[in-house]
């Protein structure tokens, strides 16, 4: 198996690679950067919300926190 993996890697290394021009790269970054920032922001928010859930849910389930009077 190791020999066949080496053969595949060596073959892949011979494939030509097309590199974008500086203008194309700048255009891509203009679009991709805000999307990546949103992804990172969403991940951070998901982490905070998970921590909040893990903190509050046991207290709600045990009755330590009472929300019966909350009106939505």
């Amino acid at each position: 198996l190791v020999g066949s993996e080496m053969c595949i890697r060596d073959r892949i290394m011979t494939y030509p690679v097309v590199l974008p021009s500086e203008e194309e790269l700048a255009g891509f970054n203009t679009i991709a950067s805000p999307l990546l920032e949103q992804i990172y922001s969403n991940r951070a928010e998901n982490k905070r919300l998970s921590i909040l859930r893990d903190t509050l849910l046991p207290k709600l389930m045990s009755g330590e926190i009472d929300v019966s009077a909350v009106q939505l």
Side-chain angles (χ1 to χ4, degrees):
L1 189 63
V2 173
S4 65
E5 288 177 8
M6 275 297 264
C7 182
I8 292 170
R9 185 187 64 108
D10 291 343
R11 185 166 180 197
I12 289 173
M13 296 302 288
T14 65
Y15 294 159
V17 176
V18 178
L19 298 176
S21 68
E22 289 295 323
E23 183 178 309
E24 291 169 323
L25 191 56
F28 173 81
N29 286 336
T30 298
I31 295 168
S33 289
L35 296 174
L36 290 172
E37 287 176 21
Q38 186 64 54
I39 289 169
Y40 297 141
S41 175
N42 288 350
R43 285 183 180 168
E45 184 175 16
N46 285 342
K47 180 72 172 168
R48 286 190 302 273
L49 290 172
S50 293
I51 291 168
L52 186 60
R53 177 204 61 213
D54 294 343
T55 302
L56 291 176
L57 186 58
K59 294 179 181 192
L60 289 166
M61 297 295 289
S62 71
E64 184 180 340
I65 297 176
D66 181 21
V67 293
S68 61
V70 174
Q71 295 181 6
L72 299 175

